[in-house]
């Protein structure tokens, strides 16, 4: 939307609305609401927000090992001597690392691809951090690769591509169990999920 | 106020993109309705009853509600999941190539049941033999046919003479085959071997499944691929993006294993 779209609004306000409107999931209405909210913020809070945006752009780099976003490379997880270096978990994006860390049940390392292979959107292996992954697989300490891409068609295709292109025969390659979500129901499950949940059944 | 209108449809999912916090904007091709873009509310939550039903290359029966700007998917039930196809990277990449073409050639609000059927039949052929490129070639040919862009294969498009059993030339621009006598000024003009012409005529007479039984040598396969993908690309008017991944897999041609 252009600044002319807000009749009577000051140009600096229109510019803020316009920038907010670019954010994913923020429509023109939400952008206006957020802009008016920011205007009413105390000065220090508004400047803290602006400063956070500036600082994230100035300081965030990709971790040279796991490719996650970090203030300093290697990132805190890669630098932590207590992490188990024999196991590497591949995820689509940095939010997936946060989700896995919240479980507190995984103590290995990560690798962030920053997307999945998406042929229709023109995203191929070269647009992802796959070369960096294949380089890391040569690490002799590494014994297991957990491919934790999402169980979507493109996530699975990316997992298959990784499986196809890694050359270490002694590497155990696993993926996360497919099955019923907690709070889900059999009745509404699709047949692929049900089939895989059945295959993955466990002793009661 | 009248209650919102609801309808049922059977469609093949072509693709989707995230919308807002937890919704999906789904593109599908429906048998009776043509191309539809609809919203799956909350479909990205793992507990949504829509989750797993809206993956690309899945045939789904749906209940839809007319929304203000876009229709809303209220229920979805999988009719054909193409589960085996989805365990094979080459087959997936071929399926996505078909999706991109159906998305490009299909129009919203114009029903074209033969295009829907063509997509399903070709996916079945790809699932049955993912190594063969014949399903893609037959698909490209029939895609032109069901889109009203069927190339002329029996008479010269310029002089209307019946074509002799000979090498000829072909151009998507003028609508098909030309005899060697006619020489229009056309940048898209290309040679067409008699063997390739015969395969195109066979495509014209055969179903996808029948066409896929045909086995041809690499030289002829390359000629048909170049001819048909150029013609489809010409009518699409833009690059077929999924083609580059397909080409890449073809070049790498490593044995495949599913984890
Ligand atoms: Zn790191
Ligand atoms: Zn002629």
């Amino acid at each position: 939307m252009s600044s002319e779209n807000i009749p009577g609004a000051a140009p600096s306000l229109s510019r803020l609305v316009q920038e907010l409107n670019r954010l994913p999931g923020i429509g023109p209405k939400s952008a206006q609401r957020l802009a008016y909210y920011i205007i009413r913020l105390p000065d220090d809070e508004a400047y803290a927000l602006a400063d956070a945006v500036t600082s994230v752009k100035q300081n965030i780099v990709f971790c040279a090992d796991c490719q996650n976003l970090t203030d300093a490379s290697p990132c805190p997880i890669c630098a932590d001597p207590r992490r188990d270096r024999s196991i590497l978990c591949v995820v689509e994006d940095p939010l997936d690392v946060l989700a896995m860390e919240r479980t507190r049940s995984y103590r290995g390392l990560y690798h962030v691809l920053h997307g999945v292979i998406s042929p229709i959107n023109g995203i191929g292996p070269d647009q992802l951090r796959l070369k960096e992954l294949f380089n890391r697989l040569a690490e002799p300490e590494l014994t297991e690769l957990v491919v934790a891409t999402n169980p979507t068609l493109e996530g699975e295709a990316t997992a298959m591509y990784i499986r196809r292109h890694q050359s270490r025969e002694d590497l155990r390659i696993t993926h996360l169990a497919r099955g019923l979500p907690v709070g889900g129901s059999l009745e509404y499950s699709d047949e692929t999920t049900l089939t895989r949940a059945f295959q993955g059944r466990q002793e009661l | 106020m009248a209650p919102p209108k609801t309808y049922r449809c059977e469609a093949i999912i072509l693709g989707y993109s995230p919308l807002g916090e937890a919704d999906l904007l789904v593109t599908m091709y429906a048998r009776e309705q043509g191309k539809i873009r609809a919203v799956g509310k909350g479909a990205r939550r793992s507990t949504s009853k829509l989750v797993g039903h809206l993956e690309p290359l899945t045939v789904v029966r749906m209940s839809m509600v007319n929304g203000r700007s876009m229709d809303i998917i209220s229920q979805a039930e999988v009719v054909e999941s193409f589960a085996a196809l989805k365990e094979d990277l080459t087959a997936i990449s071929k399926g996505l190539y078909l999706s991109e073409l159906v998305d490009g050639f299909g129009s919203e609000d114009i029903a074209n049941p033969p295009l829907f059927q063509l997509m399903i039949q070709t996916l079945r052929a790809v699932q049955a033999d993912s190594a063969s490129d014949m399903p893609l070639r037959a698909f490209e040919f029939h895609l032109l046919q069901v889109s009203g862009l069927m190339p002329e294969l029996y008479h010269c498009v310029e002089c209307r003479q019946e074509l002799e059993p000979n090498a000829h030339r072909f151009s998507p621009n003028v609508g098909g085959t030309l005899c060697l006598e006619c020489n229009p000024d056309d940048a898209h003009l290309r040679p067409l071997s008699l063997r390739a012409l015969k395969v195109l005529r066979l495509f014209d007479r055969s179903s996808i499944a029948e066409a896929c039984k045909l086995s041809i040598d690499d030289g002829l396969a390359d000629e048909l691929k170049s001819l048909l993908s150029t013609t489809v690309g010409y009518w699409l008017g833009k690059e077929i993006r999924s083609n580059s991944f397909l080409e890449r897999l073809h070049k790498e041609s490593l044995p495949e294993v599913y984890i």
Side-chain angles (χ1 to χ4, degrees):
Chain A
M1 78 193 269
S2 71
S3 41
E4 286 88 340
N5 287 357
I6 316 169
S12 61
L13 172 60
S14 292
R15 191 179 138 216
L16 179 59
V17 172
Q18 229 173 84
E19 294 302 326
L20 291 168
N21 189 197
R22 284 183 214 267
L23 300 174
I26 306 289
K29 283 263 163 54
S30 306
Q32 277 187 39
R33 250 192 322 268
L34 286 170
Y36 282 104
Y37 175 81
I38 291 169
I39 289 170
R40 285 192 295 263
L41 281 178
D43 284 3
D44 55 336
E45 282 183 38
Y47 293 140
L49 174 64
D51 182 57
V53 174
T54 312
S55 130
V56 89
K57 287 313 285 180
Q58 282 169 352
N59 299 324
I60 289 282
V61 292
F62 291 105
C63 170
D65 293 334
C66 70
Q67 308 299 320
N68 200 356
L69 302 170
T70 171
D71 280 332
S73 175
C75 71
I77 293 176
C78 291
D80 184 346
R82 289 163 303 177
R83 303 294 298 212
D84 179 354
R85 275 153 215 282
S86 69
I87 176 164
L88 185 62
C89 177
V90 181
V91 295
E92 292 181 15
D93 81 33
L95 291 174
D96 299 332
V97 174
L98 297 183
M100 289 285 292
E101 285 298 285
R102 275 199 304 270
T103 69
R104 295 171 194 280
S105 58
Y106 177 70
R107 298 299 300 158
L109 299 176
Y110 293 97
H111 189 89
V112 183
L113 295 174
H114 295 278
V116 276
I117 293 174
S118 179
I120 291 182
N121 295 309
I123 298 172
D126 297 339
Q127 279 72 48
L128 306 175
R129 306 275 164 155
L130 275 170
K131 204 166 69 227
E132 293 82 354
L133 172 66
F134 294 132
N135 287 339
R136 290 181 84 188
L137 297 187
E139 205 56 58
E141 274 175 292
L142 187 68
T143 56
E144 180 176 350
L145 178 68
V146 185
V147 183
T149 50
N150 287 323
T152 58
L153 184 67
E154 290 176 345
E156 302 274 22
T158 307
M160 285 181 234
Y161 188 86
I162 292 170
R163 178 72 187 81
R164 229 195 223 199
H165 283 75
Q166 80 82 25
S167 47
R168 262 186 65 181
E169 277 176 20
D170 59 336
L171 190 63
R172 182 175 179 222
I173 304 183
T174 55
H175 67 184
L176 300 184
R178 272 73 171 116
L180 299 167
V182 175
S185 73
L186 290 191
E187 185 190 353
Y188 291 123
S189 295
D190 63 291
E191 58 178 273
T192 311
T193 301
L194 262 185
T195 306
R196 287 172 171 180
F198 195 80
Q199 285 163 351
R201 65 195 185 278
Q202 290 168 354
E203 297 303 327
L204 197 74
Chain B
M1 205 176 94
K5 268 175 70 178
T6 62
Y7 64 97
R8 288 177 64 74
C9 73
E10 187 173 328
I12 173 99
I13 308 294
L14 303 177
Y16 56 63
S17 51
L19 183 74
E21 278 281 306
D23 301 345
L24 279 183
L25 174 56
V26 184
T27 306
M28 61 187 94
Y29 198 81
R31 188 199 296 271
E32 306 297 340
Q33 289 86 359
K35 191 160 81 176
I36 300 176
R37 281 154 63 79
V39 179
K41 289 264 185 216
R44 267 153 63 218
R45 292 199 183 94
S46 64
T47 49
S48 161
K49 61 189 200 306
L50 294 175
V51 80
H53 294 75
L54 301 174
E55 284 303 306
L57 313 181
T58 308
V59 183
V60 186
R61 199 172 292 134
M62 277 168 287
S63 298
M64 312 277 270
V65 182
N66 282 140
R68 262 179 310 168
S69 55
M70 253 177 301
D71 294 350
I72 314 283
I73 305 164
S74 61
Q75 270 178 52
E77 174 197 347
V78 173
V79 177
E80 189 164 356
S81 66
F82 291 104
L85 178 145
K86 290 171 186 169
E87 296 192 351
D88 176 335
L89 185 54
T90 304
I92 292 173
S93 70
K94 288 180 175 177
L96 291 174
Y97 176 78
L98 305 179
S99 276
E100 188 177 356
L101 290 180
V102 169
D103 191 2
F105 279 76
S107 6
E108 286 178 49
D109 307 319
I110 300 176
N112 188 351
L115 178 55
F116 173 85
Q117 277 304 327
L118 175 63
M119 173 85 180
I120 309 298
Q121 282 161 5
T122 313
L123 280 176
R124 286 182 191 147
V126 170
Q127 180 165 258
D129 181 5
S130 72
S132 166
D133 277 348
M134 202 51 95
L136 300 188
R137 299 294 88 81
F139 174 86
E140 288 158 343
F141 181 87
H142 285 281
L143 178 65
L144 296 169
Q145 197 172 44
V146 301
S147 308
L149 303 165
M150 162 76 181
E152 170 61 55
L153 301 172
Y154 300 92
H155 297 88
C156 169
V157 291
E158 283 280 303
C159 66
R160 308 306 304 167
Q161 293 281 332
E162 195 173 326
L163 293 167
E164 302 289 328
N166 224 328
H168 299 285
R169 282 167 307 165
F170 186 89
S171 168
N173 199 26
V174 297
T177 316
L178 289 126
C179 73
L180 291 175
E181 311 299 317
C182 291
N183 238 335
D185 183 22
D186 179 358
H188 298 279
L189 207 59
R190 48 185 297 137
L192 173 69
S193 73
L194 179 60
R195 297 195 307 156
L197 178 62
K198 282 182 174 168
V199 176
L200 295 179
R201 285 178 176 179
L202 181 118
F203 282 168
D204 185 26
R205 295 190 302 269
S206 323
S207 69
I208 293 284
E210 284 161 357
C212 290
K213 288 184 195 140
L214 186 69
S215 147
I216 56 174
D217 63 63
D218 290 352
L220 183 52
D222 287 346
E223 181 182 356
L224 286 166
K225 181 182 190 170
S226 161
L227 184 132
L228 284 167
S229 69
T230 307
T231 306
V232 164
Y234 171 84
W235 288 112
L236 190 64
K238 60 181 181 199
E239 180 202 3
I240 308 169
R241 291 210 270 193
S242 52
N243 207 14
S244 65
F245 186 59
L246 205 53
E247 289 289 317
R248 187 186 177 118
L249 287 183
H250 182 71
K251 280 197 202 97
E252 292 169 349
S253 293
L254 292 165
E256 52 183 302
V257 196
Y258 177 63
I259 51 170

